[in-house]
Structures are given as C-alpha cells and as structure tokens.
Amino acid sequence: MKVLVVTSQNIEERGNTYWCASNVYDILRRFMRLGELSLCAVRYDANKSHLRMERDLTGVVAFGHMTYIHKARLWLSKQDRDVISKSVSQVDLVISYGASYEVFRIARNHGKKFMSFVVSCAWDAYWNHGWLGKLVAPYKFLRARYTIWHSDYVLYVTNQFLQRRYPTQAKYQCGCSNVRITMLDEATLSKRLDFIRQWDGRSLRIATTAAVDVRYKGQQYVLNALSNLKLQGYTDIHYYLIGGGSRDYLEGLAKDYGLESQVHFLGMRPHDEVFSVLDTMHVYIQPSLQEGLPRAMVEAMSRGLMCIGAKTAAIPELIEPRFVTRRKSAADIVRLLTSVSREQLAEQAQRNFREAHNYEEAILDSRRNDFFDKVKMDIERTK
C-alpha cells in the first residue's frame, strides 16, 4: 500500500538522504507499518530554524519519494496545492499531520482515503498568536472540526481532550501519544528518591523543555512568578530553560525582573542530555497555552519529577488536579512553588513514575499498530 504523509515539519536533504528532528523521525517510522511512505514537507532552512536535523530517514522514506511545500501561515498557495495534488494521485492513503482541511479536500477530490493525525488544537494554535490569530481562530477551528469529523480514520495524541474538542465519525479512531519512553528502570526512581532525601529544603531547581522563542509555551509566566517570589524573599529558586530559538525576549524579561542569576538558558540538547539535566531538577513546569499531549512532561514524569502544568489541552490528563494552574497565572505558580516539601516531592516522584508506565513505547506501539492494521485491512478490502 502506498501512503502519503503531508506535514509542515522540516526536512533537510543531504546528498541522497533526508534528515529530520528526532521526534518527527519517530512518528514517520511508525507510519511505515501502513505501507510505502512518500512525504510532502517543508524544506529545512538553517537560517530560519533552530531545529536539530539529527535523524537520517534512510529506510523510512526512500530517496525520490519527497516533495516540498512552503510553510503556510494561513492557507496553502496554489503552487503548493498543485504539488500535494500530484502526490495524492499516486497513493492509496493520505495522512495529514495536523488535520489540514485543504489536504482533506484534495484527497476527497481524488477519491483517496484520508487520515487526520491530530497533534494539537487549532483554536489554541491561532488564538495565542496576536490579534490576527484571534480573527482567524474561529475559522480554523471550524475547518479542523469539519475535517476530523469527516475523516475516514483519526489518530489523536490525547486520550480525552482532542477527542472532546474535535469529535469524529471515522470508521476507526485511536488515542495514542507520540511520546517515546523505553521500558522504565526502577533504579531511576530510587535515584530520584535519594536525590530528594538529600535536598536542603530551601533551594529549588525547576525546568521547562520547550522552544524559547515561542511565546505560547508560557515561560514568561514562570519568570513573572519568580519575580514575585523574589519580592517575598525567595531568591534561591533557579529556572532552567531547555530548548532552541532566540532567547532575546525571555532574557530581556529576566533582566527587567532582576533574575539574571536565577534564569539559565541551556539551549538545544540531545535527548540523553535532556534526561541528565532533568535528573538534577526538583520540579518540572509546563506553563503552555497550546499543546496536544506534551511529550516533554511525560519524559519528566518518567524521571520521577514533580510536575506543574497549565490547564491546557491534555496536561490535566497527566498530573493531579492540585498541580494544574490557571493559564497565564503567575499567582498559581507562586502558590505551588512555595508549598513544595520533601514529602510532596517524594509522593509525586512515585506517582508520576507509575503514570509514565502507561506511556511506555511497547504499550503505545501495540495500541497504535492495532489501529494501523485495521486501517490497512480496510483500504486493501476496497482496492
């Protein structure tokens, strides 16, 4: 079976090979179960992107099975629609990585089966991008709802949130995170509990893993909270930001708040290094205004970290309600950080580590592969 994945993710061409970010590689590799992959994506430009193109797609997407489109802010150009249409005509199944209405219409015009891969909320994505985004958000939201409702198959990355907001009448649907957690080692939890026992009870190290130039990731609300905490005499709380992108805005904010010595920009780090950094933290915080199911938070949970997150998308599916903050609420962050205790850290270490077991690769692969096998059989029956 021939499968086309249409995505706005970046792909870099190196000689006769294609390269992508590690999380994109994991997703595309999984789609191989459906058949021979072709890809329609955005050409990587090192001058415009901070992403690490660290995974070779050889064996996933054969050379010559790639076409390129531009990253559309609002709508695809006619040129890009023509590129997609030509690729769609040659396959049996079209997968829209992001549930694009325009890709859906092209697939329908060619009589092709269509799968929506729903990774985030269209409303949140546009509403949090200034006044123009707020104007466009209702239109994009309704288009996304229409597309997902009428898709032949739907793969959600959440268990509840996206399903409620974007229901479907698809023949087959599946809720399955795209996080990649290998089998968890109990030694990780033991080390975490030892780390907590050695805590001095005063200093606190908190972290967020996200691009630092994307304001809907919400790091600015943590800086606001730290500023308020400093006024209350809490000066030994350090915030570590893991992620690429221009740090000008957040660095300027940290300077304005007088937090230069408490805020640390670590930049992009390889996956293994991220885990090493997380192992030195006390609390992980995800203050996002837009998410699907944040893999960074699941990874932090797998290291036994206490986690705090905004009431956004599937974050409340992952952590206990008392650790969910109102969106944009520095006051809620202050309240939670000032209440941290050794007992609470130990309790949440065990709770979150156990919860992360539900996102182990083997468990998710089994669920996802069962869904893919049903889709494949359904298409092959109708060919």
Side-chain angles (χ1 to χ4, degrees), residues 248-317:
D248 292 349
Y249 168 68
L250 291 177
E251 273 191 337
L253 205 56
K255 184 176 181 180
D256 291 343
Y257 287 142
L259 298 171
E260 298 99 315
S261 63
Q262 292 176 243
V263 178
H264 313 274
F265 293 89
L266 304 184
M268 288 284 290
R269 296 293 180 96
H271 206 247
D272 290 344
E273 284 188 26
V274 172
F275 278 9
S276 296
V277 172
L278 291 177
D279 287 344
T280 68
M281 299 292 127
H282 298 99
V283 176
Y284 181 83
I285 184 164
Q286 194 85 48
S288 308
L289 303 179
Q290 176 201 341
E291 288 289 350
L293 186 144
R295 55 185 286 155
M297 177 172 273
V298 179
E299 289 171 350
M301 293 166 65
S302 76
R303 309 309 291 182
L305 271 166
M306 172 180 157
C307 293
I308 295 170
K311 191 176 181 180
T312 297
I315 291 175
E317 294 180 23

Side-chain angles (χ1 to χ4, degrees), residues 122-355:
W123 177 275
D124 288 345
Y126 286 92
W127 187 260
N128 293 299
H129 278 286
W131 66 268
L132 181 58
K134 287 178 171 57
L135 287 177
V136 174
Y139 172 79
K140 288 292 188 179
F141 171 70
L142 292 173
R143 282 287 179 98
R145 280 181 64 95
Y146 181 92
T147 299
I148 295 164
W149 176 257
H150 291 283
S151 295
D152 298 296
Y153 320 106
V154 180
L155 177 59
Y156 300 95
V157 298
T158 62
N159 294 322
Q160 300 172 33
F161 171 76
L162 290 170
Q163 287 90 327
R164 287 196 302 267
R165 188 162 285 191
Y166 300 94
T168 185
Q169 62 175 0
K171 185 169 186 178
Y172 297 117
Q173 61 174 290
C174 177
C176 193
S177 170
N178 59 12
V179 70
R180 184 171 180 262
I181 301 291
T182 54
M183 187 173 292
L184 297 178
D185 185 352
E186 290 294 325
T188 300
L189 179 58
S190 295
K191 290 177 182 177
R192 166 60 52 183
L193 294 174
D194 285 341
F195 178 76
I196 293 169
R197 279 191 286 269
Q198 296 168 22
W199 181 44
D200 63 14
R202 297 185 305 276
S203 60
L204 206 60
R205 295 160 65 95
I206 62 178
T208 298
T209 303
V212 296
D213 60 347
V214 181
R215 296 195 188 184
Y216 64 70
K217 288 299 182 181
Q219 297 98 325
Q220 62 270 30
Y221 308 116
V222 181
L223 296 183
N224 188 359
L226 292 182
S227 173
N228 293 337
L229 285 165
K230 186 175 182 179
L231 293 175
Q232 298 176 37
Y234 295 93
T235 58
D236 203 6
I237 302 177
H238 290 259
Y239 186 30
Y240 294 80
L241 295 95
I242 309 165
S246 171
R247 59 183 68 169
D248 292 349
Y249 168 68
L250 291 177
E251 273 191 337
L253 205 56
K255 184 176 181 180
D256 291 343
Y257 287 142
L259 298 171
E260 298 99 315
S261 63
Q262 292 176 243
V263 178
H264 313 274
F265 293 89
L266 304 184
M268 288 284 290
R269 296 293 180 96
H271 206 247
D272 290 344
E273 284 188 26
V274 172
F275 278 9
S276 296
V277 172
L278 291 177
D279 287 344
T280 68
M281 299 292 127
H282 298 99
V283 176
Y284 181 83
I285 184 164
Q286 194 85 48
S288 308
L289 303 179
Q290 176 201 341
E291 288 289 350
L293 186 144
R295 55 185 286 155
M297 177 172 273
V298 179
E299 289 171 350
M301 293 166 65
S302 76
R303 309 309 291 182
L305 271 166
M306 172 180 157
C307 293
I308 295 170
K311 191 176 181 180
T312 297
I315 291 175
E317 294 180 23
L318 295 174
I319 58 178
E320 292 186 2
R322 58 187 167 134
F323 297 108
V324 177
T325 71
R326 291 169 296 175
R327 290 151 62 94
K328 304 183 181 182
S329 176
D332 282 2
I333 296 171
V334 167
R335 174 178 53 80
L336 288 171
L337 291 180
T338 53
S339 67
V340 172
S341 66
R342 184 175 285 103
E343 293 72 25
Q344 189 180 72
L345 291 175
E347 172 198 280
Q348 288 303 299
Q350 295 175 77
R351 184 266 178 198
N352 288 345
F353 186 79
R354 287 195 304 271
E355 181 66 20

